[in-house]
Amino acid sequence: MSILAKFSQLQQTYDQLGALQPNPFAVTFEQILSSTEGVIDGRRTILLGTNNYLGLTMDADCIAQSVQALQQQGTGTTGSRVANGSYASHRALEQDLAKFFQRQHCMVFSTGYQANLGMLSTLVGRGDHLILDADSHASIYDGARLGHAEVIRFRHSDPDDLYKRLRRLKDTPGSKLIVVEGIYSMLGDLAPLREIAQVKREMGAYLMVDEAHSMGVLGEHGRGLAEAAGVEADVDFIVGTFSKSLGSVGGFCVADIEGFNVLRVACRPYMFTASLPPSIIASTRQALRHLEADATLRARLTNNANHLYEGLRELGLQVGPHASPIVSVALEDQALAVRFWNALLHNGLYLNLALPPATPSNKPLLRASVSAAHSRRQIDRAIQLFGEVAVQLGVLGTGSGAPIAMVA
Amino acid sequence: MTDSSENIRVDVIAALKKILPRPVAISGATHIVQDLGLDSLAIMNFMLEIEDRFDISIPLDRAADIATVDDLVLAIEALVKQEKA
Ligand SMILES: Cc1ncc(COP(=O)(O)O)c(C=O)c1O
């Protein structure tokens, strides 16, 4: 029997998805025309599933900074910060991020995934407790598995359930770390962070917020949900990524805790991997400057997000619990979702298909992520296509436009 | 199996029967995933229900070792004892 035999069922599922072509999990963009448009299968296509919230991937200043760093410092660092040394720009980016979040300390990682892997596997150890939201991102679950703490889950975005679980741990020794996300990546719902912070204060735990989808999106200054909810003082650790609003790749953690820097020699996903190339650091720093200086980016993003959310809701489609730059439409079954997704793509609209068990309810999702760079015309076109395909496939006519039920 | 584990087993089986679309015979040796055809979301919600019912939290590494109804019963019994201690 082949070593891959255990994947036979997965292979079957994957092959079925490909029958209509292209396979939703193997899309190739032949060309990128702008931060909101590309070419797929020779067709000009609106990109509505790229997490490119501020549209900065094609920003001229970010590209110029990146090119300059590339020419002056080369293509890669060829080693880890700890073993092979940091470039000055790694430190500068850490200082920029610390300043932006008004924190003492920052550590930069090679991806957002690794930031979670690193922080979660290192902050808590044997005898400590990790308390995760049940709908946490894979990188959070994987970080939990890499470490040695006891891991328990609480019901998604349910502060009472969190309270119950901390109460059960009350007399148990060891540090307790609660982990939540600012905006959840599947339905675009926000964590009830004020209530969670209150539970944290009352029960005496540490709190980490993953602002991957909320940095540059929420808060008056774009610092994310912790800022928007007014609870930054209660949040001990913020992790995030450069791969969404900052348009590059990489991850980070900021904190005020004394002694933070010891993590640089304790955290394996920081120590044993190559650091980010200088060109990436340079564009990321420039993107952060734009994010700080230009609040109109956030305003445009919010406008676009509201417009798409309302448009799809008014059509009668099942959207998430509230408007955010992630707008998801739930469909009844997988075959229908795949056909819907294909029809949109063939008409020049790309977004993401998410299938259970990656989705929070048992339903497949068509997941859109809106950008500040989308034009009103592009969003209108997307709504129009959704409407046409929904009618063609018989999705509309019975729907009530009710929000997608969240996991109990 | 002790008296308390018998009671726990009755509760666990009742909770499983509640989420199954069709009546199925369940015993201590029944495999929760393989025999009952529950998907991962249903399993997660079932575990959250069980945790509430017994006022415990089952750590994920322990949950990973649970295959049969009796594995779950033993895990619950141990955690309930720990809670009371
Ligand atoms: C909530 C959350 N955390 C972390 C990550 C990982 O970020 P990255 O893709 O930059 O590794 C993602 C994105 O995939 C995410 O959605």
Side-chain angles (χ1 to χ4, degrees):
Chain A
M1 203 156 77
S2 159
I3 197 167
L4 298 179
K6 53 185 158 297
F7 299 115
S8 58
Q9 208 179 352
L10 183 61
Q11 181 74 52
Q12 222 175 14
T13 310
Y14 183 81
D15 291 344
Q16 276 165 9
L17 290 171
L20 284 161
Q21 287 303 324
N23 189 303
F25 302 105
V27 172
T28 305
F29 306 108
E30 288 133 28
Q31 276 182 69
I32 295 293
L33 303 173
S34 74
S35 62
T36 59
E37 244 191 335
V39 175
I40 302 175
D41 260 344
R43 255 189 316 272
R44 249 184 126 90
T45 302
I46 298 172
L47 305 180
L48 193 66
T50 58
N51 303 318
N52 197 352
Y53 298 123
L54 302 182
L56 293 177
T57 50
M58 296 294 247
D59 178 83
D61 299 327
C62 292
I63 292 172
Q65 290 293 327
S66 203
V67 167
Q68 194 185 31
L70 187 58
Q71 282 171 338
Q72 290 176 354
Q73 298 174 59
T75 52
T77 66
T78 62
S80 111
R81 304 264 307 266
V82 180
N84 311 88
S86 293
Y87 286 26
S89 59
H90 290 119
R91 296 220 181 276
L93 174 58
E94 286 176 343
Q95 280 158 12
D96 292 351
L97 284 163
K99 191 155 163 267
F100 173 69
F101 282 101
Q102 304 179 341
R103 304 268 175 173
Q104 298 283 319
H105 310 290
C106 176
M107 251 166 95
V108 161
F109 291 82
S110 299
T111 67
Y113 178 86
Q114 278 165 291
N116 274 331
L117 216 56
M119 294 312 294
L120 294 181
S121 63
T122 312
L123 280 174
V124 281
R126 218 172 288 287
D128 293 332
H129 303 270
L130 255 181
I131 303 106
L132 309 182
D133 184 289
D135 283 3
S136 288
H137 187 259
S139 57
I140 295 173
Y141 274 112
D142 290 357
R145 274 178 57 181
L146 187 62
H148 300 283
E150 262 200 357
V151 185
I152 57 175
R153 296 186 282 200
F154 64 98
R155 286 191 163 82
H156 176 55
S157 286
D158 185 339
D160 295 335
D161 198 50
L162 172 64
Y163 176 85
K164 256 194 313 204
R165 282 159 203 281
L166 284 167
R167 179 175 50 71
R168 288 175 198 147
L169 285 174
K170 193 133 182 84
D171 301 317
T172 316
S175 298
K176 287 139 202 162
L177 177 65
I178 305 163
V179 185
V180 300
E181 295 171 34
I183 295 180
Y184 282 85
S185 59
M186 282 294 137
L187 294 185
D189 53 308
L190 276 55
L193 198 56
R194 218 175 304 194
E195 292 81 355
I196 286 169
Q198 197 186 333
V199 171
K200 174 247 170 173
R201 276 197 304 273
E202 195 179 328
M203 302 305 283
Y206 292 93
L207 175 59
M208 174 184 284
V209 181
D210 180 344
E211 303 267 21
H213 294 273
S214 36
M215 175 187 188
V217 172
L218 299 177
E220 194 188 336
H221 302 90
R223 295 200 293 269
L225 181 61
E227 184 192 14
V231 295
E232 285 175 291
D234 294 309
V235 177
D236 303 282
F237 304 95
I238 288 178
V239 288
T241 173
F242 308 149
S243 71
K244 303 184 195 302
S245 58
L246 297 176
S248 64
V249 66
F252 68 90
C253 175
V254 294
D256 278 328
I257 195 166
E258 208 183 298
F260 181 83
N261 282 319
V262 74
L263 295 173
R264 292 184 198 273
V265 288
C267 179
R268 298 169 65 88
Y270 175 84
M271 298 162 70
F272 296 104
T273 193
S275 59
L276 288 169
S279 53
I280 295 293
I281 299 282
S283 79
T284 305
R285 293 187 69 197
Q286 182 58 44
L288 183 62
R289 283 194 283 271
H290 277 319
L291 187 163
E292 285 190 85
D294 187 359
T296 67
L297 285 171
R298 227 151 28 251
R300 253 181 286 151
L301 173 62
T302 304
N303 269 336
N304 282 342
N306 289 342
H307 186 52
L308 180 65
Y309 179 84
E310 289 306 328
L312 297 181
R313 200 172 59 94
E314 278 164 22
L315 283 176
L317 292 165
Q318 270 188 68
V319 289
H322 36 238
S324 88
I326 298 167
V327 181
S328 287
V329 170
L331 293 166
E332 287 311 312
D333 64 73
Q334 179 167 314
L336 177 65
V338 173
R339 276 164 66 212
F340 206 125
W341 181 88
N342 264 282
L344 292 175
L345 190 68
H346 283 282
N347 283 287
L349 179 65
Y350 169 78
L351 40 65
N352 315 128
L353 176 69
L355 298 178
T359 59
S361 63
N362 244 342
K363 292 182 176 177
L365 299 174
L366 296 173
R367 175 189 179 276
S369 50
V370 178
S371 173
H374 283 121
S375 65
R376 180 52 76 113
R377 205 176 47 77
Q378 286 175 316
I379 304 276
D380 282 335
R381 174 77 183 137
I383 296 168
Q384 181 199 350
L385 279 174
F386 258 99
E388 286 171 15
V389 173
V391 169
Q392 262 170 33
L393 296 181
V395 174
L396 284 182
T398 53
S400 60
I404 303 167
M406 312 253 289
V407 185
Chain B
M1 289 258 159
T2 60
D3 259 6
S4 82
S5 67
E6 188 48 47
N7 290 339
I8 293 170
R9 189 196 294 152
V10 168
D11 279 1
V12 166
I13 291 177
L16 276 172
K17 289 199 162 164
K18 237 177 28 197
I19 56 168
L20 287 170
R22 281 176 296 283
V24 180
I26 302 174
S27 73
T30 303
H31 276 249
I32 298 171
V33 175
Q34 277 149 272
D35 295 345
L36 301 179
L38 295 168
D39 61 36
S40 57
L41 182 70
I43 296 274
M44 182 175 89
N45 286 331
F46 165 69
M47 292 296 268
L48 290 168
E49 287 295 325
I50 287 289
E51 290 175 325
D52 272 353
R53 168 74 186 77
F54 294 98
D55 199 25
I56 51 171
S57 297
I58 304 173
L60 288 191
D61 59 337
R62 266 208 238 179
D65 291 335
I66 295 170
T68 65
V69 168
D70 275 347
D71 292 342
L72 176 58
V73 171
L74 286 175
I76 295 169
E77 198 179 18
L79 285 162
V80 169
K81 263 196 204 130
Q82 197 179 310
E83 192 82 359
K84 284 200 187 122

